[in-house]
């Protein structure tokens, strides 16, 4: 990292901003689904809702930590930039690497959330197939 400057950590800002927007949208979508499921359960309780609950809890947990890792990554980038500006480049490099590690962690959690989301859709498809077979 011979060319390490204040511009290096700043390269992550657009990526982190877009990721946080995507994560927030995922959280809002899950919140909407949970609210709909709650209303549906109150009106018409069904055993298949239990199958969805564990999945939704896992997705909310994953999204929470995706956001926490992303925000932590952004904070480390900012501190890294401050350290560069006061000529503490060795610490700035270490924190920037830490920021990259947190970003990778956030992306891995995002991938896991997508996979959990896929399993929720499989539950719904299985329910539809069962209904079709009965009729």
């Amino acid at each position: 990292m011979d060319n390490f400057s204040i511009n290096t950590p700043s390269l992550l800002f657009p990526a982190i901003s877009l990721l946080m927007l995507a994560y927030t949208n995922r959280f809002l979508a899950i919140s909407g689904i949970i609210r709909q499921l709650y209303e549906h359960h109150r009106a018409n309780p069904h055993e298949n809702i239990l199958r969805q609950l564990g999945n939704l809890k896992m997705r909310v947990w994953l999204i929470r930590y995706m956001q926490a890792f992303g925000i932590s990554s952004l904070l480390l980038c900012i501190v890294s930039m401050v350290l560069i500006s006061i000529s503490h480049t060795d610490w700035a490099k270490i924190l920037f690497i830490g920021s990259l590690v947190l970003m990778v962690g956030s992306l891995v959690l995002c991938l896991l959330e997508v996979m959990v989301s896929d399993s929720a859709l499989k539950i719904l498809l299985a329910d539809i197939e069962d209904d079709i077979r009965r009729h």
Side-chain angles (χ1 to χ4, degrees):
M1 281 199 212
D2 293 335
N3 296 330
F4 190 74
S5 71
I6 202 161
N7 294 328
T8 306
S10 68
L11 291 173
L12 281 184
F13 275 73
I16 293 171
S17 298
L18 289 173
L19 280 176
M20 294 311 296
L21 181 63
Y23 294 168
T24 300
N25 287 339
R26 293 187 84 76
F27 181 78
L28 291 173
I30 292 293
S31 297
I33 291 169
I34 290 171
R35 286 183 182 95
Q36 287 176 352
L37 196 59
Y38 177 80
E39 292 300 323
H40 179 72
H41 172 71
R42 288 289 178 206
N44 184 18
H46 196 275
E47 67 185 42
N48 287 340
I49 291 176
L50 283 175
R51 294 170 54 196
Q52 293 287 347
L53 292 181
N55 187 291
L56 290 169
K57 286 179 185 179
M58 175 60 85
R59 289 178 68 189
V60 168
W61 185 91
L62 287 168
I63 292 170
R64 178 185 316 127
Y65 284 98
M66 287 163 33
Q67 290 176 326
F69 279 38
I71 290 168
S72 298
S73 176
L74 178 61
L75 291 173
L76 284 184
C77 273
I78 292 168
V79 173
S80 177
M81 292 170 68
V82 168
L83 290 173
I84 290 169
S85 67
I86 60 173
S87 300
H88 286 69
T89 54
D90 289 338
W91 281 105
K93 288 177 186 178
I94 291 168
L95 290 182
F96 179 66
I97 290 169
S99 174
L100 293 175
V101 169
L102 287 169
M103 178 62 67
V104 168
S106 179
L107 293 170
V108 167
L109 290 174
C110 184
L111 177 62
L112 290 173
E113 196 273 332
V114 168
M115 296 169 99
V116 171
S117 175
D118 177 59
S119 68
L121 294 175
K122 288 179 182 176
I123 290 170
L124 293 175
L125 290 173
D127 288 346
I128 292 170
E129 286 176 348
D130 289 344
D131 286 346
I132 290 172
R133 286 187 185 120
R134 280 189 228 136
H135 295 99

